[in-house]
Amino acid sequence: MFSLDYFFVLRVTMEAGFTSRQLRLAVLFLFLITQPRTEAMQITSSGPQTIQKAETETVSLGCTFTAGTADTGELDIEWSNVSPDMTQKDNLILSYTGGQIHYNDPSLANRISFTGDPNQGDASISFSNVKLSDTGTYQCKVKKLPGVDMRKVTLVVMVPPSAPKCWVEGSEEKGGPVSLRCKSSQGSTPVSYVWSRESGGAMPSTATQNSQSGELLIKNHTDSNTGTYMCEAKNAVGQAQCKYSLRAYNPTDKVGVIVGAVIGALLLLLLLLLLIWLLVCCCHKKRYQKEVANEIREDVQAPESRPPSRLSSRHSSLRSVMGYRTHHGTQYNAVASPLPSVSETGRIYTGSSDGPTTEGNKTASLSYDPTYGYPV
């Protein structure tokens, strides 16, 4: 069936008075330009070129294609992880050849698969339980000789923000500024923070907030600013919230606080000085006692012999009475026999020049002489 353009061209050529040969050439040219053209292999997926997903989620990388009428070769599909370094080879992770699926990266065999039938023009894959290490650019290459086409998709795996912490920095006194803070400990950047007021009315007119640092600054705090405030932390793959109940307190007596702090510091300093003084005194006392003890030991003479008992003193006196006095030029030997007691009979040497005196069995009368220190 010919189009309207064909009849228009034919009418123009007939009205112009073309010859039969020229008319045939015009008709042939018109036939060639109105014939549908044979297209080569073409990938028809029109999804986003960059996909952002949270950890542990499943992502689909689209790659649908249409083969041309001249593409009669064997279907060959390859999925590769493109290396960011142009000098390095790409990592082949999945392929389809001769009607068979081949997992070229064993670490991904349990997480990657075709979502449709490649023979029906669907080379899309499903990526489950994605991780941060899966971030990269993936290329789908479809070959059916002589046709070849390819498509690249960038996968960005992100961590959603963790539940943020809300707190107030500083005091909540009236008349001064109040700073509400919000921060998530985890989450892929960029993370933005937005404060809103849940109860108590609209956001204060003097409030300003920083979406990057998570600070809500309220100037000239009053009772009208009290209420519940909510902070929402979010990035491209998730969000989380926290709340804070803002109060208003009367300002404290700062002068009294300062004076009390100064007095307390002085008392603490005095107490510390007292403790140091006591320690120094204790050390000096111990050192003095030690020095006195050393001096006493140096002054003490060697211990004398054991003082004679009453009985031995008595025997010594008797020896003196019985004539055992020392004389110059005379040597004496120790006598092992016991000395006679005063009650014994015999001769008693009085030490006089007249010689020994015998009085029979009578006992000599003795008296203590303090000059000599023994009885005489």
Side-chain angles (χ1 to χ4, degrees), residues 137-157:
T137 300
Y138 295 86
Q139 176 180 270
C140 172
K141 185 176 182 180
V142 181
K143 294 187 296 182
K144 193 172 185 181
L145 296 178
V148 179
D149 199 6
M150 61 187 65
R151 180 176 187 258
K152 292 182 179 179
V153 181
T154 300
L155 173 62
V156 180
V157 181

Side-chain angles (χ1 to χ4, degrees), residues 312-343:
S312 61
S313 177
R314 185 178 179 183
H315 287 172
S316 177
S317 300
L318 289 176
R319 291 192 190 99
S320 299
V321 173
M322 295 173 66
Y324 287 95
R325 295 182 179 178
T326 58
H327 298 276
H328 294 288
T330 304
Q331 293 183 352
Y332 295 92
N333 294 328
V335 180
S337 60
L339 295 176
S341 62
V342 177
S343 60

Side-chain angles (χ1 to χ4, degrees), residues 2-3 5-14 18-35:
F2 298 101
S3 63
D5 293 337
Y6 174 78
F7 289 104
F8 176 75
V9 174
L10 182 60
R11 181 181 176 182
V12 171
T13 55
M14 291 178 64
F18 282 84
T19 62
S20 59
R21 183 178 179 182
Q22 291 175 338
L23 182 61
R24 285 196 299 268
L25 289 175
V27 172
L28 179 60
F29 175 75
L30 182 61
F31 177 78
L32 291 176
I33 64 174
T34 56
Q35 276 291 98

Side-chain angles (χ1 to χ4, degrees), residues 37 40 47 72 76 101 134 159 169 172 179 184-185 207 229 234 239 247 261 271 363 369:
R37 292 172 294 178
T72 58
D76 186 9
I101 301 175
D134 295 331
V159 178
E169 193 171 88
E172 300 175 59
S179 176
S184 291
S185 59
Y229 291 79
K234 59 182 179 180
Q239 64 276 337
R247 298 175 177 83
L271 180 61
T363 305
D369 189 351

Side-chain angles (χ1 to χ4, degrees), residues 164-195:
K165 178 184 178 182
C166 293
W167 76 97
V168 64
E169 193 171 88
S171 63
E172 300 175 59
E173 295 181 356
K174 300 177 185 178
V178 174
S179 176
L180 293 176
R181 291 301 186 105
C182 175
K183 191 68 176 179
S184 291
S185 59
Q186 296 179 350
S188 298
T189 56
V191 178
S192 61
Y193 302 92
V194 179
W195 281 94

